[in-house]
Amino acid sequence: MPSAVDLKSLLDTNNTLPTKLHAWSPLSTNPKKSTQPPTGFGGLSLRTSLTKPIIAAVNGLCLGGGLELVLACDLVIAADTAVFKFPEASVGLAPFAGGAAMLLKTVGYQRCMELLITGKQISAVEAKEWGFVNEVTTGDQLMQRALVCARRVLKQSPDSVRAIKRAVHLALEEGWTDATRLSRQTKECKAMIEGDNFREGVLAFIEKRTPVWKALSKFSLSNKRFTSIATPNDSKIPPQNVEKIDEKAANVLFPGAVGGSFYTETLKFVHDFPSIPTYRVMDQFGVVLNPDADPQLPKETCLKMYKDMLKLNAMDVVMYEAQRQGRISFYMTSYGEEATHLGSAAALTLDDIIMGQYREAGVLLYRGFTISQFMNQCYSNSLDLGKGRQMPVHYGSKALNFQTISSPLGTQLPQAAGAAFGLKRDKKDACVVCYFGEGAASEGDFHAALNIASTIGVPVLFFCRNNGYAISTPAKEQYHGDGIASRGHGYGMQTIRVDGNDVFAVYNATKAARKICIEQSVPVLLEALTYRVGHHSTSDDSSAYRPKSESSTWEKTDSPIARFKKYLEAKSWWSETEDEEYRKSVRIEILKCFGDAEKVKKPSLDELFTDVYAPNANEVGVDGEPWIPEELQRQKKMLEDIMKKYPNHYDDTDYLKK
């Protein structure tokens, strides 16, 4: 830690900090005897063996927002005194510069000190400018807000608390604070760190500022800025193996550089990026590779997931054949993607809102949608919850919190961001899970959704089923780069890629992502790599864009159903005999529901005109019929007249009569 004389020499003629403050790091093997002159305090970047909990705590304090930074910077300054003289007490100090800059930008240091020390009223203009309207009105409330934030962060990181305590105590006990004029605050500092007379300790520390803080009080953010260099994320890298810092590097200050950037004099286009790894729990033979990653789900849960996989697969077989026979108009199978359905569904609750694309029938099945309900929807009969108004496989269930599927590709993405904002405002312990394929990720709605979700911070899990072929386009012809997951970084989102044929990998990732979404109120992007064994839909012939042998090979070598089955058999929870018996029984159940749904009449033609307009309080239907406005009544009368005039052309025998 530089002495008061050193600090004074850093000031320019206007008694403010220099325009450029470069990072300084005591990288010598013996910092006690180091004679390397400091070049500034703009983010002390110690590339020594830093511990992640410490970095997290200091980062948390510095990023707490507003005046919480006062306390954060005090802690860092105190720890700083120990770091230079006692390297074993290294505390991650790189966030110091960024935190101080945020503080100055938010409030202005001198005014901040005045409010905290005096407890005076904040003007209405200041409250509006600082974003404290209806929350904080006095300096005393500002102090309370700072203390609550700091204590919350410190409580969550006990290791960081101990490290900071040690650093400060070392500085105080060894007398190193004499050089920074802190010797008179020994009791106050100890009290502040240990929690005794916390407020008084902070105030005492603020009132008797060190030279660097006095300089900061005159610091003008309009033409002076800090520079900081981030510390490495990996705390296990030995100091001698860490790349040395370019002391000329300075942070880019343009308002658009929100992610942090630094200047360089080297002309270089960035092209190669490390590929995002694919998380898995089981190999292709159902063997758990890391026992700690096994979610240890109960036998009942595992068997439900597996049986639902088989049921979904059997239903696909029946309904695909039915469409080919002309008994329904359209269908889409989920062959090969069953693990993405059941793995994610098992990790969610019924409070979570589901927004599907059109290949998430397994999610709905796991939630309780019956085979009869699936059949009624595909037949668009009078028992269909959607009253026959949707294409087949466009399911929806209000009771199961599953939003009705829409045919236009990608429309659910921005809607999911909006629904998540509603959950955030209502403070619900739930998130939105939005499913989509890699083909939908080429739609503009995808980018709009991720950008707004990340910008406003909402609890939504964007779940991409990357099956490699979109509607009919191989991935290599659709996009370049590292898949869909790599786009999460561009939108500042936490991202993970998983083996979509590994039901446990999908389960673990979805469960962890849901926790992040809800607790941090941020979006998460999850890419599940899988393979579409079947055609895109009954309107598609996949042999036009891939060899027929390819899909059969995938089905034989890496079926998610077969993989999960091997896991269950290894635990003696399932046998080949049970498998054969269940497959037979579930097919019988599906065929019965299929036959029943086929016999149910279509909805009444009257339903063409209902559910469009909501009546006012004084508007009621005639003779118990649903109310419809006069214009629709006129159109309904026209339809009835035409059908009576041309009965041979308009046969309504198969429609329900009212």
Side-chain angles (χ1 to χ4, degrees):
M1 180 75 177
S3 65
V5 177
D6 294 324
L7 287 168
K8 186 176 180 180
S9 67
L10 292 175
L11 303 179
D12 61 16
T13 54
N14 295 323
N15 200 32
T16 59
L17 290 179
T19 303
K20 291 185 178 180
L21 288 177
H22 305 305
W24 169 63
S25 178
L27 293 173
S28 68
T29 56
N30 190 353
K32 278 189 176 183
K33 298 180 180 180
S34 175
T35 57
Q36 178 184 3
T39 57
F41 273 120
L44 198 58
S45 186
L46 288 170
R47 296 224 169 180
T48 55
S49 187
L50 302 174
T51 60
K52 289 183 180 178
I54 296 174
I55 296 174
V58 180
N59 262 312
L61 286 167
C62 287
L63 298 178
L67 299 170
E68 293 90 329
L69 296 171
V70 177
L71 181 58
C73 293
D74 282 337
L75 290 175
V76 175
I77 280 282
D80 181 12
T81 65
V83 171
F84 179 57
K85 192 173 182 182
F86 306 99
E88 68 271 18
S90 297
V91 178
L93 299 176
F96 162 69
M102 283 178 60
L103 168 65
L104 295 169
K105 180 179 180 181
T106 306
V107 180
Y109 188 78
Q110 198 165 12
R111 176 60 175 158
C112 168
M113 292 301 100
E114 177 185 350
L115 288 167
L116 286 176
I117 294 172
T118 64
K120 288 182 178 179
Q121 189 81 16
I122 300 175
S123 69
V125 175
E126 289 174 331
K128 182 177 180 180
E129 181 181 351
W130 301 342
F132 292 148
V133 180
N134 299 326
E135 296 179 12
V136 178
T137 58
T138 67
D140 286 334
Q141 290 176 322
L142 286 174
M143 174 62 74
Q144 291 302 317
R145 174 172 168 156
L147 299 184
V148 169
C149 175
R151 279 176 166 163
R152 183 174 65 246
V153 176
L154 290 173
K155 183 178 180 181
Q156 294 171 352
S157 305
D159 291 339
S160 303
V161 178
R162 287 192 289 271
I164 294 175
K165 282 184 180 181
R166 174 165 171 73
V168 175
H169 288 180
L170 279 171
L172 295 171
E173 293 168 3
E174 293 295 327
W176 183 249
T177 53
D178 290 341
T180 57
R181 301 179 185 178
L182 287 174
S183 58
R184 290 172 295 179
Q185 283 86 46
T186 300
K187 292 183 179 179
E188 290 89 338
C189 288
K190 284 186 176 180
M192 178 181 70
I193 299 301
E194 294 173 352
D196 299 325
N197 300 318
F198 203 85
R199 174 183 168 82
E200 289 73 18
V202 175
L203 289 175
F205 200 26
I206 290 173
E207 288 177 333
K208 303 171 182 177
R209 309 308 297 172
T210 62
V212 68
W213 285 109
K214 290 180 180 178
L216 281 173
S217 67
K218 297 181 180 180
F219 185 82
S220 172
L221 193 66
S222 61
N223 54 22
K224 317 287 184 188
R225 290 288 294 268
F226 275 109
T227 65
S228 68
I229 299 176
T231 53
N233 289 329
D234 191 348
S235 61
K236 298 180 180 179
I237 302 177
Q240 63 270 21
N241 295 334
V242 178
E243 181 182 352
K244 289 193 175 182
I245 301 168
D246 179 7
E247 293 188 355
K248 293 183 179 180
N251 275 13
V252 176
L253 308 181
F254 295 108
V258 296
S261 180
F262 59 89
Y263 286 107
T264 178
E265 288 69 50
T266 302
L267 177 61
K268 181 180 179 181
F269 291 91
V270 180
H271 180 265
D272 295 324
F273 300 90
S275 179
I276 297 174
T278 300
Y279 169 72
R280 68 173 179 171
V281 175
M282 296 185 290
D283 63 15
Q284 294 176 333
F285 306 101
V287 177
V288 175
L289 302 171
N290 178 6
D292 292 337
D294 188 332
Q296 301 294 335
L297 294 176
K299 176 182 177 180
E300 294 74 18
T301 302
C302 288
L303 290 181
K304 173 174 171 51
M305 294 166 68
Y306 180 70
K307 288 180 178 180
D308 281 350
M309 283 184 175
L310 295 181
K311 185 177 291 187
L312 174 63
N313 188 270
M315 183 175 73
D316 282 348
V317 172
V318 171
M319 299 309 289
Y320 185 84
E321 293 172 352
Q323 193 281 332
R324 286 296 186 246
Q325 295 170 9
R327 301 166 83 166
I328 60 173
S329 61
F330 179 81
Y331 195 73
M332 301 182 75
T333 65
S334 298
Y335 301 142
E337 300 182 48
E338 294 89 353
T340 63
H341 298 211
L342 281 306
S344 59
L348 304 173
T349 73
L350 282 178
D351 291 328
D352 298 319
I353 300 174
I354 305 297
M355 290 191 165
Q357 185 160 302
Y358 38 55
R359 211 184 300 278
E360 288 80 34
V363 178
L364 195 51
L365 178 65
Y366 188 86
R367 289 190 155 214
F369 210 65
T370 66
I371 294 297
S372 292
Q373 288 176 310
F374 281 113
M375 297 301 172
N376 291 332
Q377 196 284 326
C378 288
Y379 268 104
S380 298
N381 62 33
S382 59
L383 297 180
D384 171 24
L385 297 178
K387 298 184 178 181
R389 294 165 178 162
Q390 285 277 13
M391 287 177 62
V393 306
H394 287 50
Y395 311 113
S397 172
K398 184 177 181 180
L400 300 176
N401 225 353
F402 192 104
Q403 300 297 313
T404 301
I405 293 167
S406 177
S407 288
L409 200 62
T411 56
Q412 76 276 17
L413 287 155
Q415 294 167 0
F421 185 62
L423 291 179
K424 178 180 179 179
R425 292 192 63 179
D426 293 340
K427 295 180 172 56
K428 294 288 185 64
D429 186 23
C431 68
V432 176
V433 182
C434 179
Y435 294 89
F436 61 99
E438 82 283 358
S442 293
E443 294 283 335
D445 281 345
F446 167 82
H447 300 279
L450 266 65
N451 188 51
I452 188 64
S454 182
T455 302
I456 63 178
V458 292
V460 53
L461 169 57
F462 292 105
F463 191 110
C464 176
R465 294 177 293 92
N466 189 340
N467 62 31
Y469 286 100
I471 291 179
S472 58
T473 307
K476 62 183 179 181
E477 297 178 14
Q478 183 190 165
Y479 59 79
H480 285 185
D482 188 23
I484 306 304
S486 63
R487 303 179 190 180
H489 174 70
Y491 291 107
M493 296 171 57
Q494 297 192 53
T495 304
I496 189 170
R497 172 181 288 151
V498 305
D499 179 346
N501 284 11
D502 180 347
V503 68
F504 286 155
V506 176
Y507 173 85
N508 287 349
T510 303
K511 183 178 180 180
R514 179 184 185 274
K515 188 173 188 290
I516 292 171
C517 288
I518 296 174
E519 293 184 356
Q520 301 180 28
S521 191
V522 295
V524 174
L525 175 61
L526 188 158
E527 179 184 20
L529 297 178
T530 183
Y531 186 86
R532 169 163 59 78
V533 173
H535 305 295
H536 171 72
S537 71
T538 50
S539 302
D540 174 47
D541 178 8
S542 62
S543 65
Y545 50 84
R546 67 182 180 186
K548 291 183 178 180
S549 60
E550 182 183 295
S551 57
S552 61
T553 300
W554 267 94
E555 188 173 18
K556 293 175 183 177
T557 58
D558 192 15
S559 163
I561 294 178
R563 193 190 295 198
F564 195 22
K565 177 185 175 185
K566 291 173 183 176
Y567 171 87
L568 296 175
E569 289 177 337
K571 295 181 75 71
S572 299
W573 289 353
W574 195 249
S575 67
E576 187 62 35
T577 302
E578 290 174 302
D579 201 78
E580 292 177 1
E581 291 177 352
Y582 184 77
R583 286 175 184 268
K584 290 178 182 178
S585 64
V586 78
R587 180 174 174 82
I588 292 173
E589 176 192 355
I590 291 169
L591 289 174
K592 182 182 184 305
C593 294
F594 174 83
D596 292 342
E598 196 171 32
K599 298 172 185 176
V600 178
K601 288 183 177 293
K602 302 291 184 183
S604 168
L605 293 176
D606 293 340
E607 298 292 1
L608 287 171
F609 306 95
T610 59
D611 303 324
V612 179
Y613 297 98
N616 294 320
N618 60 340
E619 294 172 326
V620 294
V622 179
D623 297 330
E625 293 293 321
W627 174 88
I628 57 175
E630 291 184 3
E631 174 58 24
L632 288 186
Q633 291 180 29
R634 184 185 66 81
Q635 294 179 27
K636 181 181 178 183
K637 180 67 167 56
M638 288 178 60
L639 176 62
E640 291 172 348
D641 292 343
I642 291 175
M643 292 182 67
K644 288 179 181 178
K645 186 175 182 179
Y646 303 101
N648 295 333
H649 295 278
Y650 296 95
D651 183 8
D652 63 349
T653 305
D654 294 332
Y655 291 83
L656 200 66
K657 301 294 191 298
K658 282 192 176 181

